Amino acid sequence: MTHQFQFNYFNPTRLLFGPEAMSALAVLVPKQARVLLMYGSGSIRRNGAYDEVMAALSGHALVEFAGVEPNPSLETLDRAVALVRQEQLDFILAVGGGSVVDGAKYVACAAGYAGDGWDIVSGRQPVTEALPVGAVITLAATGSESNGGAVVTSLARQQKKAFFAEAIRPRFAVLKPQYLVSLPDRQLANGLVDAFVHACEQYLTYPVDALVQDGHAEAVMRALRLLAERYDERRSLGWLQNLMWAANQALCGILGVGVPQDWATHRIAVELTALYGIDHGRTLSILQPRLLRETIEAKRAKLEQLGRRVFDLVDPCAEDVIDAIETMYRRLGMPLSLDDAGVTDGEAAATILAALRAHGLDAFGGHAGIDAAMTARMIRRIC
Ligand code: NZQ
Ligand code: ZN
């Protein structure tokens, strides 16, 4: 039977890309807005973004909130929520990587909610409205600058979780590749892998004759594979601008419209960060190849298509394609096991499996029918 596409896609984020992208900022943030400027630990002061934002918004009412940590915590973000209420702010501008943008999205929702902010993250409190958010992105990875997702960690609960709402898609995003120059290699590699896995999660299921969606995803993954091969060029603006655009396209929502998706790698990955503080991109390189081997029969046809069209393999079998993905990750210096990531906890498998069970993630099914035994086998293999 024909798989019928059915979707409702609206992406309202205006993207300003390139060296002059910041020149529009003063107009994009409404003149009368009372702005909360959110950022992390200070990288924006080293790459020029902070000075350019301050110059562009010198005529605006603006209050700063610094210190949003990687994998932003509810505890930190709730202090920003209090500041928004106290100063009666009505526009959130995020300047930084995915963590800062996600943090801004949470604050935009929580500012108008009197209850416990975790209700928003857990989905108990559906989000229908939020303060407007704008983003100046300084790390190419998550696509958060133009999607409706945000990931927040509750330190008290030792849980990291994503939530989604149309209302949190940023109004605009500035993508200036020059800001990426100050990124360490580790973040460039993390970003490349994160973007690649985003495309995989929307593509690596089973064929549904989705000519446009497959083509989009393959173009993005092919670009990322080429960037991995050309990793020696990573300090050139040409390489950086391609990474920035590929990462945006991988998770702005367009690749996955109307097709089956499987976010198993991401859903499990949050536990590794919550438990061991491993960078998001690195949790993916550890988990994805193992998970693909575990679900290989359900994904065989798409894996082989990926091998032909993205990795240029001639008549590959699915096993070869997973090997090619692993080789790419290794080339980037990414970990393929917890050991590679420096986790030496002898009880790691039991700890991770207990967390997955507690959060209802040990047997979430999906098209590959992932059950508790498969999850347990896969987790033991990464340990
Ligand atoms: O603290 P700052 O100064 O911001 O430093 C950051 C941070 O230490 C630094 N950095 C950012 N831009 C820099 C820079 N350092 C030098 N030069 C620059 N230009 O890099 C470090 C990591 O930043 P972070 O924002 O945490 O990285 P990323 O963009 O990878 O975001 C990761 C977060 O996004 C979530 C992840 O789970 C994680 O919490 N994700 C969000 C998604 C979404 N909203 O759609 C989807 C993803 O799958 C992902 O889950
Ligand atoms: Zn991701």
Side-chain angles (χ1 to χ4, degrees), residues 3 67 100 118 140 161 172 198 231 241 246 258 293 348 350 356 362-363:
H3 169 89
V100 175
W118 192 250
K161 204 168 174 341
F172 65 82
H198 291 157
Y231 193 55
Q241 72 177 358
R293 290 202 174 91
L356 287 169
D362 58 326

Side-chain angles (χ1 to χ4, degrees), residues 39-44 46-47 68-72 96-100 102 105 138-139 141-144 147 149-151 160 179-180 182-184 187 194 198 251 263 266 280:
Y39 57 96
S41 69
S43 60
I44 68 165
R46 294 189 297 277
N47 59 31
V68 179
E69 63 274 69
N71 312 304
S99 292
V100 175
D102 286 5
K105 290 171 168 177
T138 64
L139 194 161
T142 61
S144 182
N147 69 35
V151 191
K160 185 179 186 207
Y179 293 150
L180 305 183
S182 57
L183 281 167
Q187 297 297 349
D194 192 18
H198 291 157
L251 200 50
W263 287 85
H266 268 76
H280 175 63

Side-chain angles (χ1 to χ4, degrees), residues 31-204:
K31 204 83 223 124
Q32 73 288 358
R34 292 182 54 75
V35 181
L36 179 70
L37 167 63
M38 289 180 69
Y39 57 96
S41 69
S43 60
I44 68 165
R45 290 180 185 270
R46 294 189 297 277
N47 59 31
Y50 178 84
D51 289 344
E52 289 187 27
V53 167
M54 294 311 265
L57 299 186
S58 59
H60 285 71
L62 183 145
V63 175
E64 293 184 33
F65 184 87
V68 179
E69 63 274 69
N71 312 304
S73 72
L74 192 75
E75 288 80 355
T76 298
L77 298 175
D78 278 340
R79 290 195 284 111
V81 171
L83 187 60
V84 167
R85 290 181 185 150
Q86 181 195 316
E87 300 288 332
Q88 301 189 330
L89 307 175
D90 55 18
F91 193 100
I92 319 285
L93 180 65
V95 186
S99 292
V100 175
V101 180
D102 286 5
K105 290 171 168 177
Y106 167 81
V107 171
C109 301
Y113 179 61
D116 179 353
W118 192 250
D119 294 346
I120 292 169
V121 183
S122 65
R124 206 168 306 132
Q125 172 65 29
V127 175
T128 49
E129 52 186 34
L131 294 177
V133 173
V136 176
I137 196 85
T138 64
L139 194 161
T142 61
S144 182
E145 68 274 11
S146 66
N147 69 35
V151 191
V152 173
T153 298
S154 161
L155 298 176
R157 296 170 182 81
Q158 211 178 45
Q159 188 174 0
K160 185 179 186 207
K161 204 168 174 341
F163 74 98
F164 302 90
E166 284 302 317
I168 59 175
R169 284 188 191 262
R171 301 290 162 101
F172 65 82
V174 171
L175 297 96
K176 179 168 169 174
Q178 281 76 2
Y179 293 150
L180 305 183
V181 169
S182 57
L183 281 167
D185 286 350
R186 178 188 179 109
Q187 297 297 349
L188 293 176
N190 284 352
L192 197 160
V193 170
D194 192 18
F196 186 82
V197 178
H198 291 157
C200 288
E201 309 270 54
Q202 298 164 86
Y203 173 92
L204 272 182

Side-chain angles (χ1 to χ4, degrees), residues 223-236:
L224 291 164
R225 185 212 109 199
L226 291 170
L227 291 174
E229 272 170 23
R230 289 164 45 183
Y231 193 55
D232 292 351
E233 297 170 33
R234 62 191 176 281
R235 293 291 152 199
S236 71

